[in-house]
Amino acid sequence: MHTPRRTLSYALLVVTLALAAVHGAAAADDPLPSWADGTAKRAIVDFVQRVTTPGGKDFVPEPERLATFDNDGTLWAEQPIYFQIAFAFDRIKALAPQHPEWQDQEPFKSLLAGDLKGALAGGEKAIVQLVMVSHAGMTTDEFVQSVKDWIATAKHPRFNRPYTECVYQPMLELLAYLRANGFKTYIVSGGGIEFMRPWVEKVYGIPPEQVVGSSIKTKFEMRDGKPVLMRLPEVDFIDDKEGKPVGINKFIGRRPVLAFGNSDGDHQMLQWTAAGSGPRFMGLVHHTDAEREWAYDRTSHIGRLDKALDEAQAKGWTVVDMKQDWQTIFPPAAGR
Amino acid sequence: MHTPRRTLSYALLVVTLALAAVHGAAAADDPLPSWADGTAKRAIVDFVQRVTTPGGKDFVPEPERLATFDNDGTLWAEQPIYFQIAFAFDRIKALAPQHPEWQDQEPFKSLLAGDLKGALAGGEKAIVQLVMVSHAGMTTDEFVQSVKDWIATAKHPRFNRPYTECVYQPMLELLAYLRANGFKTYIVSGGGIEFMRPWVEKVYGIPPEQVVGSSIKTKFEMRDGKPVLMRLPEVDFIDDKEGKPVGINKFIGRRPVLAFGNSDGDHQMLQWTAAGSGPRFMGLVHHTDAEREWAYDRTSHIGRLDKALDEAQAKGWTVVDMKQDWQTIFPPAAGR
């Protein structure tokens, strides 16, 4: 009785191992293993093959292969609050002992008491105040250090892992795949340019000089005979909505052939990309996965996706359905 | 009588050819053949060797090998007027038929009558007016086309060759030499960023995204259903003097290890570069050759070199003496 059963088990084991080996080989060849085989993945691979085929009608010379990516909600998560706002709040808490006057002064008083709603009751003015005290009044070097310190220690409240591990594994694969095909990858984010630069190279493989973002003004000064750049509490540039094509033109000086976003803040960047001549790729990450991440679009306060979604559907831009298209959301935890 | 003389001549010829062959081989190995063998050239070669020697104490990893170059007076000439001003004047003459009102309106009236002194009598206000009508009120694409048209046809009044051939051959060699050694070369100029981008790749081998310059504001608009960026008559950023470190920090986001300028407008860029840690190279082109180019420094209206020269001498920065250090000034004329 036992022998046939054992033979069968053995045969099954062999078949299983053989299938696993085949699957493993296929995965090794697949530059986008976290992407499910669907229209989004096929559209990406098809586009890259077309623009990199020498002699093909859609061939794009390597120096013109520019790809721009939004950051919040496109390369890393943006809920329950933009991560840079979390940084600002943590920073204010850290600075509070040097500012006893904040104990009686809004929006700081509420924030320090843990009352976020109260802190934000002052609307835009309160937010600007909170951002400026945490981002201005120091040298650029000092600010970079405060970002590095935070990014190395802070953890996301839901996932209990560093914010830099709340990045999207499928997008990391896409960035690497594009670079392997001669693309120069850029971030074009509404977030602060100097908030991103200290860590994006390590996390995304994107060097600091390929980051476009919002900024405050800086001023060159001599301090003890040494030149420094002081960060002023004054907005310099808002790299969002209509500002994204402006920022692309200002910082990069040529039009991307591929752009990826996730919200109406990226709408004009996608329109600007689409309006160029030759092959174009416009992509949107649609947050549809409440279980593994979040599900939000047309009515969300953070990362609203409404008009851009309409245009994407009308024009046939690629809409990534997070739940369907991404087999994995976040990378494996590092070293734990 | 003739035979020994012929023999001697023949021997001399052989020796001459042999020496020429040796010299040719040496020149082929020399990445900076237009530079005379002097302290400036030796300082450059020594610096590049030190930062590229793996394991050496001055080794700089390739991604950090950033080099920034001023443009006017450093990479191309800047006399008798900044070339971009010549562009503005030519452009106004070309636009005049569409603006009959300019015939009675300063500073246009004087300019169109060929009276440059009268045109500039209105001081800074007049210059801003002249720059804005030639640089604003059109889309970015239209402006780029006007720059391309001008650069293809206009000629320098003294050298009677295209402005793009009034670039310095020794600096072209230096840019290529640095890139061959893993440097990323940038322009950081007081000139207009969008005035430079259309031609710098072809002329200097520097791609548009590695240009930092002064800018006017642009605005994203829909025109006949197509997105455009309109150029507004409003200054956005002046990339000169204290603005250069600000521009470097804003556009590049890390500090160069090598910087080259020629005037006090580059002083702060050199100070900013010098203040970084690790090996540094600060260079100044000193215009000392009235015969082949121009001789000017401390009292010149254009390209004044005074305080930066003092600091260069005090700190041992490299000062290139154009007359002594450059065996050639301009490249050979192209295709004529």
PDB file of all heavy atoms in Angstrom, chain A residues 184 186 194 197 209 220 222 236 249-254 268 271, chain B residues 184 186 194 197 209 222 236 249-254 268 271:
ATOM      1  N   LYS A 184      16.787  58.466 -17.873  1.00  0.00           N
ATOM      2  CA  LYS A 184      17.208  59.250 -16.722  1.00  0.00           C
ATOM      3  C   LYS A 184      15.937  59.450 -15.903  1.00  0.00           C
ATOM      4  O   LYS A 184      14.952  60.007 -16.407  1.00  0.00           O
ATOM      5  CB  LYS A 184      17.743  60.592 -17.231  1.00  0.00           C
ATOM      6  CG  LYS A 184      18.908  61.145 -16.483  1.00  0.00           C
ATOM      7  CD  LYS A 184      19.578  62.244 -17.321  1.00  0.00           C
ATOM      8  CE  LYS A 184      20.530  63.061 -16.480  1.00  0.00           C
ATOM      9  NZ  LYS A 184      21.248  64.057 -17.309  1.00  0.00           N
ATOM     10  N   TYR A 186      13.707  61.068 -12.883  1.00  0.00           N
ATOM     11  CA  TYR A 186      13.583  62.279 -12.082  1.00  0.00           C
ATOM     12  C   TYR A 186      12.407  62.164 -11.125  1.00  0.00           C
ATOM     13  O   TYR A 186      11.399  61.532 -11.441  1.00  0.00           O
ATOM     14  CB  TYR A 186      13.309  63.497 -12.968  1.00  0.00           C
ATOM     15  CG  TYR A 186      14.525  64.096 -13.624  1.00  0.00           C
ATOM     16  CD1 TYR A 186      15.034  63.555 -14.797  1.00  0.00           C
ATOM     17  CD2 TYR A 186      15.156  65.202 -13.077  1.00  0.00           C
ATOM     18  CE1 TYR A 186      16.151  64.116 -15.415  1.00  0.00           C
ATOM     19  CE2 TYR A 186      16.269  65.765 -13.686  1.00  0.00           C
ATOM     20  CZ  TYR A 186      16.761  65.216 -14.852  1.00  0.00           C
ATOM     21  OH  TYR A 186      17.863  65.774 -15.441  1.00  0.00           O
ATOM     22  N   GLU A 194      14.535  69.940  -0.658  1.00  0.00           N
ATOM     23  CA  GLU A 194      15.628  69.636   0.273  1.00  0.00           C
ATOM     24  C   GLU A 194      15.213  68.600   1.317  1.00  0.00           C
ATOM     25  O   GLU A 194      16.066  68.062   2.016  1.00  0.00           O
ATOM     26  CB  GLU A 194      16.138  70.921   0.936  1.00  0.00           C
ATOM     27  CG  GLU A 194      16.735  71.862  -0.102  1.00  0.00           C
ATOM     28  CD  GLU A 194      17.896  72.676   0.421  1.00  0.00           C
ATOM     29  OE1 GLU A 194      18.867  72.091   0.924  1.00  0.00           O
ATOM     30  OE2 GLU A 194      17.827  73.916   0.328  1.00  0.00           O
ATOM     31  N   ARG A 197      16.094  65.287  -1.098  1.00  0.00           N
ATOM     32  CA  ARG A 197      17.444  65.017  -1.596  1.00  0.00           C
ATOM     33  C   ARG A 197      18.347  64.186  -0.683  1.00  0.00           C
ATOM     34  O   ARG A 197      19.162  63.407  -1.185  1.00  0.00           O
ATOM     35  CB  ARG A 197      18.130  66.343  -1.943  1.00  0.00           C
ATOM     36  CG  ARG A 197      17.680  66.852  -3.294  1.00  0.00           C
ATOM     37  CD  ARG A 197      18.295  68.195  -3.610  1.00  0.00           C
ATOM     38  NE  ARG A 197      18.121  68.536  -5.011  1.00  0.00           N
ATOM     39  CZ  ARG A 197      18.175  69.780  -5.483  1.00  0.00           C
ATOM     40  NH1 ARG A 197      18.391  70.778  -4.667  1.00  0.00           N
ATOM     41  NH2 ARG A 197      18.017  70.007  -6.766  1.00  0.00           N
ATOM     42  N   GLU A 209      20.597  65.669  -7.795  1.00  0.00           N
ATOM     43  CA  GLU A 209      20.426  66.656  -8.878  1.00  0.00           C
ATOM     44  C   GLU A 209      19.284  66.288  -9.810  1.00  0.00           C
ATOM     45  O   GLU A 209      18.933  67.062 -10.692  1.00  0.00           O
ATOM     46  CB  GLU A 209      21.738  66.831  -9.657  1.00  0.00           C
ATOM     47  CG  GLU A 209      22.311  65.581 -10.284  1.00  0.00           C
ATOM     48  CD  GLU A 209      23.319  64.854  -9.384  1.00  0.00           C
ATOM     49  OE1 GLU A 209      23.224  64.954  -8.150  1.00  0.00           O
ATOM     50  OE2 GLU A 209      24.202  64.178  -9.948  1.00  0.00           O
ATOM     51  N   PHE A 220      22.716  83.513   0.756  1.00  0.00           N
ATOM     52  CA  PHE A 220      24.147  83.286   0.965  1.00  0.00           C
ATOM     53  C   PHE A 220      24.664  84.266   2.007  1.00  0.00           C
ATOM     54  O   PHE A 220      24.442  85.467   1.897  1.00  0.00           O
ATOM     55  CB  PHE A 220      24.872  83.501  -0.369  1.00  0.00           C
ATOM     56  CG  PHE A 220      26.361  83.319  -0.313  1.00  0.00           C
ATOM     57  CD1 PHE A 220      26.930  82.067  -0.469  1.00  0.00           C
ATOM     58  CD2 PHE A 220      27.196  84.414  -0.129  1.00  0.00           C
ATOM     59  CE1 PHE A 220      28.314  81.907  -0.438  1.00  0.00           C
ATOM     60  CE2 PHE A 220      28.577  84.260  -0.091  1.00  0.00           C
ATOM     61  CZ  PHE A 220      29.139  83.003  -0.248  1.00  0.00           C
ATOM     62  N   MET A 222      28.026  85.000   5.076  1.00  0.00           N
ATOM     63  CA  MET A 222      29.264  84.589   5.716  1.00  0.00           C
ATOM     64  C   MET A 222      29.008  84.475   7.212  1.00  0.00           C
ATOM     65  O   MET A 222      28.492  85.414   7.829  1.00  0.00           O
ATOM     66  CB  MET A 222      30.374  85.620   5.464  1.00  0.00           C
ATOM     67  CG  MET A 222      30.978  85.536   4.080  1.00  0.00           C
ATOM     68  SD  MET A 222      31.934  83.994   3.898  1.00  0.00           S
ATOM     69  CE  MET A 222      32.387  84.127   2.165  1.00  0.00           C
ATOM     70  N   ASP A 236       9.639  79.963  -2.122  1.00  0.00           N
ATOM     71  CA  ASP A 236      10.330  80.280  -3.373  1.00  0.00           C
ATOM     72  C   ASP A 236       9.545  79.741  -4.559  1.00  0.00           C
ATOM     73  O   ASP A 236       9.307  80.445  -5.527  1.00  0.00           O
ATOM     74  CB  ASP A 236      11.732  79.654  -3.335  1.00  0.00           C
ATOM     75  CG  ASP A 236      12.510  79.909  -4.619  1.00  0.00           C
ATOM     76  OD1 ASP A 236      12.473  81.058  -5.104  1.00  0.00           O
ATOM     77  OD2 ASP A 236      13.146  78.973  -5.131  1.00  0.00           O
ATOM     78  N   ASN A 249      10.344  72.521 -16.781  1.00  0.00           N
ATOM     79  CA  ASN A 249      11.012  73.384 -17.757  1.00  0.00           C
ATOM     80  C   ASN A 249      12.179  74.134 -17.122  1.00  0.00           C
ATOM     81  O   ASN A 249      13.233  74.290 -17.723  1.00  0.00           O
ATOM     82  CB  ASN A 249      10.002  74.374 -18.335  1.00  0.00           C
ATOM     83  CG  ASN A 249      10.617  75.223 -19.417  1.00  0.00           C
ATOM     84  OD1 ASN A 249      10.985  74.711 -20.473  1.00  0.00           O
ATOM     85  ND2 ASN A 249      10.769  76.513 -19.163  1.00  0.00           N
ATOM     86  N   LYS A 250      11.996  74.560 -15.869  1.00  0.00           N
ATOM     87  CA  LYS A 250      13.026  75.329 -15.192  1.00  0.00           C
ATOM     88  C   LYS A 250      14.229  74.462 -14.820  1.00  0.00           C
ATOM     89  O   LYS A 250      15.364  74.811 -15.092  1.00  0.00           O
ATOM     90  CB  LYS A 250      12.421  75.937 -13.918  1.00  0.00           C
ATOM     91  CG  LYS A 250      13.343  76.896 -13.193  1.00  0.00           C
ATOM     92  CD  LYS A 250      12.968  77.136 -11.731  1.00  0.00           C
ATOM     93  CE  LYS A 250      11.553  77.550 -11.479  1.00  0.00           C
ATOM     94  NZ  LYS A 250      11.473  78.710 -10.547  1.00  0.00           N
ATOM     95  N   PHE A 251      13.969  73.310 -14.215  1.00  0.00           N
ATOM     96  CA  PHE A 251      15.055  72.496 -13.668  1.00  0.00           C
ATOM     97  C   PHE A 251      15.656  71.533 -14.687  1.00  0.00           C
ATOM     98  O   PHE A 251      16.835  71.223 -14.628  1.00  0.00           O
ATOM     99  CB  PHE A 251      14.572  71.683 -12.463  1.00  0.00           C
ATOM    100  CG  PHE A 251      14.428  72.485 -11.203  1.00  0.00           C
ATOM    101  CD1 PHE A 251      13.340  73.315 -11.007  1.00  0.00           C
ATOM    102  CD2 PHE A 251      15.394  72.423 -10.220  1.00  0.00           C
ATOM    103  CE1 PHE A 251      13.206  74.062  -9.848  1.00  0.00           C
ATOM    104  CE2 PHE A 251      15.278  73.153  -9.050  1.00  0.00           C
ATOM    105  CZ  PHE A 251      14.175  73.991  -8.866  1.00  0.00           C
ATOM    106  N   ILE A 252      14.835  71.007 -15.579  1.00  0.00           N
ATOM    107  CA  ILE A 252      15.322  69.987 -16.505  1.00  0.00           C
ATOM    108  C   ILE A 252      15.538  70.594 -17.891  1.00  0.00           C
ATOM    109  O   ILE A 252      16.527  70.309 -18.560  1.00  0.00           O
ATOM    110  CB  ILE A 252      14.341  68.787 -16.586  1.00  0.00           C
ATOM    111  CG1 ILE A 252      14.001  68.285 -15.168  1.00  0.00           C
ATOM    112  CG2 ILE A 252      14.927  67.669 -17.437  1.00  0.00           C
ATOM    113  CD1 ILE A 252      12.976  67.159 -15.121  1.00  0.00           C
ATOM    114  N   GLY A 253      14.596  71.435 -18.315  1.00  0.00           N
ATOM    115  CA  GLY A 253      14.795  72.139 -19.580  1.00  0.00           C
ATOM    116  C   GLY A 253      14.428  71.335 -20.805  1.00  0.00           C
ATOM    117  O   GLY A 253      14.629  71.794 -21.918  1.00  0.00           O
ATOM    118  N   ARG A 254      13.984  70.112 -20.624  1.00  0.00           N
ATOM    119  CA  ARG A 254      13.349  69.423 -21.745  1.00  0.00           C
ATOM    120  C   ARG A 254      12.220  68.568 -21.234  1.00  0.00           C
ATOM    121  O   ARG A 254      12.130  68.281 -20.047  1.00  0.00           O
ATOM    122  CB  ARG A 254      14.329  68.658 -22.621  1.00  0.00           C
ATOM    123  CG  ARG A 254      15.378  67.835 -21.948  1.00  0.00           C
ATOM    124  CD  ARG A 254      16.290  67.239 -23.035  1.00  0.00           C
ATOM    125  NE  ARG A 254      17.555  66.782 -22.524  1.00  0.00           N
ATOM    126  CZ  ARG A 254      18.550  66.342 -23.284  1.00  0.00           C
ATOM    127  NH1 ARG A 254      18.412  66.301 -24.588  1.00  0.00           N
ATOM    128  NH2 ARG A 254      19.671  65.927 -22.755  1.00  0.00           N
ATOM    129  N   GLN A 268      -1.313  68.400 -14.681  1.00  0.00           N
ATOM    130  CA  GLN A 268      -0.655  69.248 -15.672  1.00  0.00           C
ATOM    131  C   GLN A 268       0.682  68.657 -16.123  1.00  0.00           C
ATOM    132  O   GLN A 268       1.079  68.843 -17.273  1.00  0.00           O
ATOM    133  CB  GLN A 268      -0.455  70.662 -15.122  1.00  0.00           C
ATOM    134  CG  GLN A 268      -1.755  71.462 -14.988  1.00  0.00           C
ATOM    135  CD  GLN A 268      -2.528  71.165 -13.713  1.00  0.00           C
ATOM    136  OE1 GLN A 268      -2.162  70.274 -12.937  1.00  0.00           O
ATOM    137  NE2 GLN A 268      -3.597  71.914 -13.486  1.00  0.00           N
ATOM    138  N   GLN A 271      -0.337  66.249 -18.748  1.00  0.00           N
ATOM    139  CA  GLN A 271      -0.746  66.970 -19.963  1.00  0.00           C
ATOM    140  C   GLN A 271       0.474  67.497 -20.716  1.00  0.00           C
ATOM    141  O   GLN A 271       0.549  67.414 -21.943  1.00  0.00           O
ATOM    142  CB  GLN A 271      -1.664  68.153 -19.597  1.00  0.00           C
ATOM    143  CG  GLN A 271      -3.027  67.728 -19.094  1.00  0.00           C
ATOM    144  CD  GLN A 271      -3.881  68.919 -18.660  1.00  0.00           C
ATOM    145  OE1 GLN A 271      -3.374  69.873 -18.067  1.00  0.00           O
ATOM    146  NE2 GLN A 271      -5.170  68.867 -18.951  1.00  0.00           N
TER     147      GLN A 271
ATOM    148  N   LYS B 184      30.768  65.253 -13.858  1.00  0.00           N
ATOM    149  CA  LYS B 184      29.564  65.783 -14.467  1.00  0.00           C
ATOM    150  C   LYS B 184      29.807  67.286 -14.585  1.00  0.00           C
ATOM    151  O   LYS B 184      30.068  67.953 -13.567  1.00  0.00           O
ATOM    152  CB  LYS B 184      28.387  65.498 -13.519  1.00  0.00           C
ATOM    153  CG  LYS B 184      27.096  65.146 -14.194  1.00  0.00           C
ATOM    154  CD  LYS B 184      26.151  64.514 -13.178  1.00  0.00           C
ATOM    155  CE  LYS B 184      24.750  64.447 -13.713  1.00  0.00           C
ATOM    156  NZ  LYS B 184      23.844  63.772 -12.768  1.00  0.00           N
ATOM    157  N   TYR B 186      28.735  71.144 -15.344  1.00  0.00           N
ATOM    158  CA  TYR B 186      27.581  72.046 -15.282  1.00  0.00           C
ATOM    159  C   TYR B 186      27.985  73.456 -15.699  1.00  0.00           C
ATOM    160  O   TYR B 186      29.116  73.872 -15.449  1.00  0.00           O
ATOM    161  CB  TYR B 186      27.052  72.146 -13.845  1.00  0.00           C
ATOM    162  CG  TYR B 186      26.158  71.020 -13.410  1.00  0.00           C
ATOM    163  CD1 TYR B 186      26.687  69.821 -12.951  1.00  0.00           C
ATOM    164  CD2 TYR B 186      24.776  71.153 -13.447  1.00  0.00           C
ATOM    165  CE1 TYR B 186      25.860  68.782 -12.543  1.00  0.00           C
ATOM    166  CE2 TYR B 186      23.947  70.126 -13.041  1.00  0.00           C
ATOM    167  CZ  TYR B 186      24.494  68.941 -12.593  1.00  0.00           C
ATOM    168  OH  TYR B 186      23.678  67.920 -12.184  1.00  0.00           O
ATOM    169  N   GLU B 194      17.356  79.744 -20.400  1.00  0.00           N
ATOM    170  CA  GLU B 194      16.725  79.289 -21.643  1.00  0.00           C
ATOM    171  C   GLU B 194      17.419  79.852 -22.881  1.00  0.00           C
ATOM    172  O   GLU B 194      17.179  79.387 -23.985  1.00  0.00           O
ATOM    173  CB  GLU B 194      15.230  79.640 -21.641  1.00  0.00           C
ATOM    174  CG  GLU B 194      14.505  78.919 -20.518  1.00  0.00           C
ATOM    175  CD  GLU B 194      13.078  78.529 -20.884  1.00  0.00           C
ATOM    176  OE1 GLU B 194      12.879  77.856 -21.902  1.00  0.00           O
ATOM    177  OE2 GLU B 194      12.169  78.912 -20.133  1.00  0.00           O
ATOM    178  N   ARG B 197      20.345  76.872 -23.060  1.00  0.00           N
ATOM    179  CA  ARG B 197      20.014  75.458 -23.243  1.00  0.00           C
ATOM    180  C   ARG B 197      19.899  74.983 -24.690  1.00  0.00           C
ATOM    181  O   ARG B 197      20.251  73.840 -24.978  1.00  0.00           O
ATOM    182  CB  ARG B 197      18.721  75.144 -22.483  1.00  0.00           C
ATOM    183  CG  ARG B 197      18.987  74.930 -21.009  1.00  0.00           C
ATOM    184  CD  ARG B 197      17.700  74.673 -20.252  1.00  0.00           C
ATOM    185  NE  ARG B 197      17.985  74.162 -18.923  1.00  0.00           N
ATOM    186  CZ  ARG B 197      17.137  74.253 -17.901  1.00  0.00           C
ATOM    187  NH1 ARG B 197      15.951  74.831 -18.063  1.00  0.00           N
ATOM    188  NH2 ARG B 197      17.469  73.757 -16.732  1.00  0.00           N
ATOM    189  N   GLU B 209      19.839  69.853 -19.076  1.00  0.00           N
ATOM    190  CA  GLU B 209      19.517  69.700 -17.656  1.00  0.00           C
ATOM    191  C   GLU B 209      20.716  69.994 -16.764  1.00  0.00           C
ATOM    192  O   GLU B 209      20.576  70.034 -15.539  1.00  0.00           O
ATOM    193  CB  GLU B 209      18.931  68.316 -17.369  1.00  0.00           C
ATOM    194  CG  GLU B 209      19.794  67.129 -17.724  1.00  0.00           C
ATOM    195  CD  GLU B 209      19.572  66.606 -19.146  1.00  0.00           C
ATOM    196  OE1 GLU B 209      19.162  67.406 -20.018  1.00  0.00           O
ATOM    197  OE2 GLU B 209      19.819  65.413 -19.390  1.00  0.00           O
ATOM    198  N   MET B 222      -3.457  76.782 -21.167  1.00  0.00           N
ATOM    199  CA  MET B 222      -3.988  76.022 -22.284  1.00  0.00           C
ATOM    200  C   MET B 222      -4.244  76.995 -23.441  1.00  0.00           C
ATOM    201  O   MET B 222      -4.912  78.014 -23.260  1.00  0.00           O
ATOM    202  CB  MET B 222      -5.301  75.336 -21.895  1.00  0.00           C
ATOM    203  CG  MET B 222      -5.099  74.091 -21.057  1.00  0.00           C
ATOM    204  SD  MET B 222      -4.325  72.764 -22.044  1.00  0.00           S
ATOM    205  CE  MET B 222      -4.182  71.501 -20.782  1.00  0.00           C
ATOM    206  N   ASP B 236      12.507  85.876 -12.300  1.00  0.00           N
ATOM    207  CA  ASP B 236      12.300  84.756 -11.380  1.00  0.00           C
ATOM    208  C   ASP B 236      13.520  84.573 -10.483  1.00  0.00           C
ATOM    209  O   ASP B 236      13.399  84.461  -9.276  1.00  0.00           O
ATOM    210  CB  ASP B 236      12.052  83.484 -12.193  1.00  0.00           C
ATOM    211  CG  ASP B 236      11.856  82.259 -11.331  1.00  0.00           C
ATOM    212  OD1 ASP B 236      11.140  82.372 -10.318  1.00  0.00           O
ATOM    213  OD2 ASP B 236      12.405  81.188 -11.661  1.00  0.00           O
ATOM    214  N   ASN B 249      22.731  75.197  -5.073  1.00  0.00           N
ATOM    215  CA  ASN B 249      22.017  74.409  -4.074  1.00  0.00           C
ATOM    216  C   ASN B 249      20.614  74.048  -4.551  1.00  0.00           C
ATOM    217  O   ASN B 249      20.135  72.935  -4.324  1.00  0.00           O
ATOM    218  CB  ASN B 249      21.936  75.189  -2.766  1.00  0.00           C
ATOM    219  CG  ASN B 249      21.316  74.388  -1.657  1.00  0.00           C
ATOM    220  OD1 ASN B 249      21.870  73.369  -1.240  1.00  0.00           O
ATOM    221  ND2 ASN B 249      20.143  74.798  -1.208  1.00  0.00           N
ATOM    222  N   LYS B 250      19.961  74.989  -5.233  1.00  0.00           N
ATOM    223  CA  LYS B 250      18.592  74.778  -5.683  1.00  0.00           C
ATOM    224  C   LYS B 250      18.531  73.759  -6.828  1.00  0.00           C
ATOM    225  O   LYS B 250      17.734  72.820  -6.803  1.00  0.00           O
ATOM    226  CB  LYS B 250      18.027  76.123  -6.158  1.00  0.00           C
ATOM    227  CG  LYS B 250      16.549  76.086  -6.518  1.00  0.00           C
ATOM    228  CD  LYS B 250      16.081  77.220  -7.424  1.00  0.00           C
ATOM    229  CE  LYS B 250      16.426  78.612  -6.976  1.00  0.00           C
ATOM    230  NZ  LYS B 250      15.251  79.535  -7.041  1.00  0.00           N
ATOM    231  N   PHE B 251      19.382  73.937  -7.830  1.00  0.00           N
ATOM    232  CA  PHE B 251      19.278  73.130  -9.042  1.00  0.00           C
ATOM    233  C   PHE B 251      20.057  71.819  -8.963  1.00  0.00           C
ATOM    234  O   PHE B 251      19.657  70.834  -9.556  1.00  0.00           O
ATOM    235  CB  PHE B 251      19.784  73.911 -10.258  1.00  0.00           C
ATOM    236  CG  PHE B 251      18.823  74.948 -10.765  1.00  0.00           C
ATOM    237  CD1 PHE B 251      18.683  76.165 -10.120  1.00  0.00           C
ATOM    238  CD2 PHE B 251      18.055  74.696 -11.880  1.00  0.00           C
ATOM    239  CE1 PHE B 251      17.798  77.120 -10.588  1.00  0.00           C
ATOM    240  CE2 PHE B 251      17.166  75.645 -12.353  1.00  0.00           C
ATOM    241  CZ  PHE B 251      17.031  76.864 -11.705  1.00  0.00           C
ATOM    242  N   ILE B 252      21.179  71.835  -8.274  1.00  0.00           N
ATOM    243  CA  ILE B 252      22.036  70.641  -8.256  1.00  0.00           C
ATOM    244  C   ILE B 252      21.884  69.917  -6.924  1.00  0.00           C
ATOM    245  O   ILE B 252      21.819  68.692  -6.892  1.00  0.00           O
ATOM    246  CB  ILE B 252      23.516  71.010  -8.521  1.00  0.00           C
ATOM    247  CG1 ILE B 252      23.632  71.870  -9.805  1.00  0.00           C
ATOM    248  CG2 ILE B 252      24.362  69.746  -8.624  1.00  0.00           C
ATOM    249  CD1 ILE B 252      25.041  72.369 -10.100  1.00  0.00           C
ATOM    250  N   GLY B 253      21.861  70.682  -5.848  1.00  0.00           N
ATOM    251  CA  GLY B 253      21.605  70.064  -4.550  1.00  0.00           C
ATOM    252  C   GLY B 253      22.822  69.446  -3.902  1.00  0.00           C
ATOM    253  O   GLY B 253      22.712  68.841  -2.836  1.00  0.00           O
ATOM    254  N   ARG B 254      23.965  69.532  -4.536  1.00  0.00           N
ATOM    255  CA  ARG B 254      25.199  69.225  -3.813  1.00  0.00           C
ATOM    256  C   ARG B 254      26.307  70.133  -4.317  1.00  0.00           C
ATOM    257  O   ARG B 254      26.201  70.750  -5.357  1.00  0.00           O
ATOM    258  CB  ARG B 254      25.572  67.748  -3.857  1.00  0.00           C
ATOM    259  CG  ARG B 254      25.476  67.038  -5.162  1.00  0.00           C
ATOM    260  CD  ARG B 254      25.810  65.544  -4.923  1.00  0.00           C
ATOM    261  NE  ARG B 254      25.363  64.695  -6.008  1.00  0.00           N
ATOM    262  CZ  ARG B 254      25.406  63.368  -5.966  1.00  0.00           C
ATOM    263  NH1 ARG B 254      25.862  62.748  -4.908  1.00  0.00           N
ATOM    264  NH2 ARG B 254      25.000  62.655  -6.996  1.00  0.00           N
ATOM    265  N   GLN B 268      31.425  84.235  -5.151  1.00  0.00           N
ATOM    266  CA  GLN B 268      30.725  83.442  -4.135  1.00  0.00           C
ATOM    267  C   GLN B 268      30.639  81.961  -4.532  1.00  0.00           C
ATOM    268  O   GLN B 268      30.660  81.088  -3.669  1.00  0.00           O
ATOM    269  CB  GLN B 268      29.332  84.017  -3.876  1.00  0.00           C
ATOM    270  CG  GLN B 268      29.336  85.357  -3.140  1.00  0.00           C
ATOM    271  CD  GLN B 268      29.569  86.548  -4.048  1.00  0.00           C
ATOM    272  OE1 GLN B 268      29.830  86.411  -5.249  1.00  0.00           O
ATOM    273  NE2 GLN B 268      29.474  87.744  -3.486  1.00  0.00           N
ATOM    274  N   GLN B 271      33.917  80.641  -3.449  1.00  0.00           N
ATOM    275  CA  GLN B 271      33.958  80.529  -1.982  1.00  0.00           C
ATOM    276  C   GLN B 271      33.144  79.324  -1.512  1.00  0.00           C
ATOM    277  O   GLN B 271      33.555  78.582  -0.620  1.00  0.00           O
ATOM    278  CB  GLN B 271      33.392  81.807  -1.344  1.00  0.00           C
ATOM    279  CG  GLN B 271      34.281  83.020  -1.518  1.00  0.00           C
ATOM    280  CD  GLN B 271      33.651  84.291  -0.958  1.00  0.00           C
ATOM    281  OE1 GLN B 271      32.443  84.503  -1.103  1.00  0.00           O
ATOM    282  NE2 GLN B 271      34.458  85.131  -0.335  1.00  0.00           N
TER     283      GLN B 271
END
